[in-house]
Amino acid sequence: MTDATDHPRGRLRAALDAHWPILAVLAVAVLARAVVAIAYAPALMFPDSWSYVGAAYGDSHLGGIRPPGYGLTMFALEQVTGPSLGVVTALQHVAGLGIGVIVYALLLRLGTGRLIATVAAAVVLLDGYAIALEQHILAETFTTAAMVASVALLLTTRSALPLAVAGLLLAVAVLMRTPTIFLVPFWVAYLLLRHRPARAWVAPLLGLGVTLAAFMVVNQAQTGRSGLTNADGWFLYGRTAALADCTRFTPPAGTEPLCEPPGHAGRPPIFYVWSPESPAQRHYGRVGAPGSDDELRAFAVATLRSRPLAFAQLVGEDLVRYADPSAETPGGSDGAITLPEEPRTMPGWLDVEARDRYVPGYEPEVAAPAGLARAYAHVVRFPRPLLVVLVALPLVALVVALRRPRPGRRLAEIALLSGGGIALIAGATLTSAFVVRYMVPALPLLVAGAALAVAELSRRPGAGPDSAAARRPAADPTPPRSP
C-alpha cells in the first residue's frame, strides 16, 4: 500500500504540519513589510541614498564615493522596469524575507532542531529595525542577502558550481558594502579547513577572486583607480581626525591645513567628512574631490601611527555602544532606520537637484498605515543589549568544547557565523564610525551562530542530533563510520 505521504498532497500536508511555526512567523513578517511599503511608497531616502541614485541612473556607475555594487544592481533593475524606486524597495523586502528563510533552513541543516531554528529566524524576520531599512534606498539589505546566501552555500554544499556561486555572491556583497571584506578571512579559512581535497578550493576562490579582479581591472580602466570608491581616504580621515595632533607627527606634504590647534575638542567622524566647516572640506572642497583621497589617507595613517592606543580605545568605546540602547549615532545618522511621521524634505534628505535629474517623479509621502508601521517598528525590534548574549554564547560553547572534547561538534561553523558577524561590526566601526544601522548586516550571522552554540550546549555529552553522519558538516567529505 502506498503511504499517504508519498502523494504530493500528502507531502505538502506533512511539510505544513512540520513547519507551521515558521510559516506563521513568515505571515507576520510579510504583513509588516506590506504595511511599511504602503505607508512609505515608493521609498524612503537618506542623505546617502542620493549617491546610490546618481550611480544607478547617472552617466557613470563607477568612481563614486560609494561602492558600486548597489548602484549597479539598481541600474540592472532599471533595464527591466525603468528607474522605479518602488521596485527596488519591493525586492529589498523580498530579500529580507529570504534572509530569514535561509537562516531557518541553514540551522535545520546544521542540526539545531526546529524550535531553535524558528526562534532564530523570527529574530531576523520580524525586526522592525531591518524592515524600516528595507524601505530605504540603501545597500545594507541586498548586501546582507548576498552575504548570508554565500555563507549558507559554503556551509551546506560540496559541489563545484554552488561553491563558485558562493564565492561570486561574497564578491558581490563586498562590492556593495566595503566592510564585508572583513568577513572574507573567516569565509576563506572555513573553506580551507572543511573542504577537501584541495581541488575543491578552486571553484569558490575563482568565484570570489575573479569577480573582484574583474571589477578592479574595469574600474582602473575607466576611473584610473582600482579601489571600491574615491572616498576611502575621506572616511578613514573622518575616523581618525579627532585624534590628530600634529605636534606628535609630521603631516604628509600637502596636508598641513588639516592640522588643528593642540588640545582641540574632537568631533564625531560625520563632522570631519561631511561638514563644510571640517578642515578637509575647507581645504579640498567636496567629498571625493580629485587628489584629495590619497592625501587624506596618508594623513589618517600618520595619525594612527602616532596614537595607536588612543585609536584602539576610541574604537573599543564605540563597539560597546552598539549594546547600549540609549546610544545614538552622533549627527543623527540613526534616522536611516526610523519611520518618520512626516515626509522628509529638508536639505540632504531630499536632494532636489538629484531628484529632478534622476527620479523626477519622486515625492516623499506618508500614507495612512504609517502610524501602525511606526508602532510595530518601535515595539518589535532587536534589543541591542542582546548583542552581548549573541557574542557570549559562542565563546561559552568554545570553552565547553575545549574542556569536554567530542567528535562531531560544529565549532568551525560557529566560528564562521559568529566570528564573521563580529568582524562585520568591528570592521565598519574601525574604518568608519559607530552607526547603528551597521549592526543590521551582521545580525543574521550572529543570531545563527548563537543558535548553533545553544544547540551544542544543550546536547548531552556523547549524544548527537540524530547520528554521527547527521552531525558531520555537509562540506566535510569524510565518510561516516559504521556504527
Side-chain angles (χ1 to χ4, degrees), residues 123-213:
V123 172
V124 175
L125 284 166
L126 301 180
D127 181 20
Y129 213 63
I131 294 172
L133 185 56
E134 292 165 15
Q135 190 61 20
H136 284 76
I137 301 299
L138 289 168
E140 276 78 7
T141 301
F142 283 160
T143 302
T144 307
M147 179 181 64
V148 170
S150 171
V151 170
L153 285 172
L154 182 67
L155 288 171
T156 59
T157 186
R158 288 184 290 137
S159 300
L161 181 58
L163 285 173
V165 172
L168 172 64
L169 287 171
L170 184 59
V172 167
V174 171
L175 293 175
M176 286 188 180
R177 190 169 176 272
T178 309
T180 311
I181 197 73
F182 292 95
L183 173 65
V184 172
F186 292 85
W187 192 93
V188 172
Y190 184 88
L191 172 71
L192 301 183
L193 176 67
R194 284 298 202 194
H195 289 262
R196 292 288 190 276
R199 64 175 178 270
W201 303 341
V202 174
L205 291 179
L206 282 177
L208 174 63
V210 170
T211 304
L212 293 177

Side-chain angles (χ1 to χ4, degrees), residues 13-27 104 114 118:
R13 180 64 179 272
L16 292 176
D17 289 343
H19 300 286
W20 70 263
I22 189 61
L23 295 175
V25 170
L26 273 171
Y104 178 75
R114 292 194 186 106
T118 301

Side-chain angles (χ1 to χ4, degrees), residues 241-290:
L243 303 176
D245 180 354
C246 291
T247 64
R248 294 172 176 257
F249 66 93
T250 301
T255 65
E256 294 83 0
L258 302 177
C259 295
E260 296 188 88
H264 70 281
R267 306 285 188 92
I270 191 173
F271 168 82
Y272 289 104
V273 177
W274 300 110
S275 172
E277 301 302 316
S278 77
Q281 289 225 16
R282 289 200 306 265
H283 182 50
Y284 295 109
R286 62 181 175 82
V287 177

Side-chain angles (χ1 to χ4, degrees), residues 243 248 301-315:
L243 303 176
R248 294 172 176 257
V301 170
T303 301
L304 281 172
R305 289 174 175 171
S306 68
R307 303 188 66 185
L309 296 181
F311 179 72
Q313 180 181 354
L314 179 66
V315 173

